[in-house]
Amino acid sequence: MVSLRFPFLFSQPKKHPNGISRTITSRSFPATTTTVACALAAGAAAFAGIAATRNSKNPKQDNPFIQNALNLLFSNHVLAPWASLSLADPLPSVVETKTGAAFPSVIFESRRLLGIGLRKKTILGLKNIDVYAFGVYADVDEVRKVLSEKYGKLSVSELKESKEFKEDFMGGDIGMTVRLQIVYSKLSIRSVRSAFEESVGSRLQNFGEPNSKELLQRFTSQFKDEYKIPRGSVIELSREQGHVLRTTIDGKEVGSIQSKLLCRSILDLYIGEDPFDKEAKEDIESKFASLLQVDH
């Protein structure tokens, strides 16, 4: 049975597979309109009739009109950002439009996508390349458990202006994941290791970590030369309970390190004062603050 679903972002049940479903192709989530909703509903009804016809005893005798209708329904046209035709999965993925990298709306059952961005790198001061797309996730239950009592009555705009709030969610014991999807086909694991040595190393020093060199070496040594990261590979950096940074490459855990400052240094790359993608940072901060607005 094919169903037409209108999945308002972040309002679906927790349980969700870690796969990729049909996609949203925008960072923002505009409001719905009655006209488009009706059109999509009509399309769904039409499709139901078409599907019934195709399930007849003589599928080879499909009417050309029906075949054309099917081709239209299943073509790669962009769906409305708030709705999708789905065979099974009610939650759409979100796509970084420049690279086509798709990010599940929910991972690990309760970590919701807050925003997506793009990591670029300049080569020889002349050419910008897109290295990887990234998505930042937060555990909704843990966000509310840790921060609701203190910040639950503040508006999103007030929270975005609060430095104390930013400090608390950056350094709090809240489950978060930064999911990196490689888009540069010539990227090597050695390059990833070198980039983290520079970017994470500078953050550890700025945050006053006394053993920054040793801690940094423990982290970067996880990215061994034996790992291959072709285009489409996924690296996940997750802050788990107790400020444990867990690193996986294509679903395989490659190491875990307990360090509050290391966790914070990783997050600082994406939502700190000097992030890789400033627009993404703004989106992520807004979505994070909105998780506390359950009663507003």
Side-chain angles (χ1 to χ4, degrees):
M1 175 68 69
V2 176
S3 62
L4 181 70
R5 297 186 173 95
F6 295 80
F8 293 93
L9 189 64
F10 306 148
S11 62
Q12 302 299 314
K14 280 186 177 183
K15 190 170 183 180
H16 181 275
N18 205 6
I20 294 176
S21 60
R22 291 187 180 271
T23 56
I24 291 175
T25 57
S26 172
R27 289 183 179 179
S28 60
F29 305 92
T32 63
T33 62
T34 303
T35 302
V36 177
C38 291
L40 282 170
F47 173 74
I50 293 168
T53 303
R54 286 184 63 87
N55 287 331
S56 64
K57 294 182 180 179
N58 298 307
K60 293 183 179 180
Q61 299 179 7
D62 285 340
N63 188 295
F65 172 78
I66 294 175
Q67 185 61 51
N68 290 338
L70 281 170
N71 291 339
L72 178 61
L73 281 170
F74 287 106
S75 66
N76 290 324
H77 293 300
V78 176
L79 291 175
W82 43 268
S84 65
L85 277 172
S86 172
L87 295 176
D89 195 339
L91 282 177
S93 295
V94 179
V95 170
E96 201 293 312
T97 52
K98 185 176 180 182
T99 63
F103 293 85
S105 296
V106 178
I107 60 174
F108 311 138
E109 295 189 350
S110 60
R111 294 192 185 183
R112 297 186 186 179
L113 182 62
L114 304 180
I116 59 176
L118 191 60
R119 171 62 165 137
K120 299 180 180 181
K121 189 72 174 177
T122 302
I123 299 179
L124 301 176
L126 299 174
K127 182 180 179 182
N128 280 327
I129 62 171
D130 300 328
V131 183
Y132 59 79
F134 64 86
V136 177
Y137 296 77
D139 188 293
V140 181
D141 293 337
E142 293 181 14
V143 169
R144 292 170 180 167
K145 178 181 178 181
V146 174
L147 300 177
S148 283
E149 183 176 350
K150 187 174 182 179
Y151 298 106
K153 295 182 179 180
L154 299 181
S155 67
V156 171
S157 59
E158 289 173 324
L159 290 173
K160 289 182 66 177
E161 296 298 321
S162 171
K163 291 184 178 181
E164 187 177 5
F165 172 69
K166 292 179 183 179
E167 286 292 316
D168 284 348
F169 87 71
M170 287 280 285
D173 195 5
I174 298 168
M176 295 187 68
T177 296
V178 181
R179 181 183 174 101
L180 318 179
Q181 184 162 318
I182 308 303
V183 297
Y184 182 54
S185 59
K186 297 180 180 179
L187 188 67
S188 67
I189 197 72
R190 184 174 299 179
S191 298
V192 172
R193 188 168 60 239
S194 177
F196 278 139
E197 286 174 351
E198 178 183 350
S199 58
V200 178
S202 64
R203 264 71 175 183
L204 286 172
Q205 289 182 345
N206 290 341
F207 292 146
E209 169 56 50
N211 300 314
S212 61
K213 289 185 178 180
E214 178 185 350
L215 183 59
L216 179 63
Q217 196 279 329
R218 287 178 60 198
F219 171 64
T220 57
S221 65
Q222 297 176 137
F223 300 93
K224 296 179 173 60
D225 290 340
E226 63 194 71
Y227 298 127
K228 306 301 180 185
I229 48 170
R231 179 183 174 89
S233 296
V234 173
I235 299 173
E236 289 181 330
L237 306 169
S238 298
R239 179 173 67 186
E240 306 295 355
Q241 193 170 36
H243 300 282
V244 174
L245 182 70
R246 181 171 60 88
T247 304
T248 66
I249 299 177
D250 287 333
K252 177 183 178 181
E253 183 169 337
V254 298
S256 295
I257 301 172
Q258 197 283 325
S259 170
K260 183 174 182 178
L261 284 183
L262 180 58
C263 290
R264 168 136 191 196
S265 296
I266 294 296
L267 292 174
D268 194 74
L269 301 176
Y270 306 96
I271 51 179
E273 293 300 317
D274 186 23
F276 290 150
D277 188 324
K278 292 183 178 180
E279 182 181 348
K281 174 195 172 179
E282 293 296 320
D283 290 344
I284 292 163
E285 287 183 342
S286 295
K287 297 296 190 307
F288 194 101
S290 69
L291 295 180
L292 299 174
Q293 309 303 299
V294 290
D295 297 324
H296 290 200

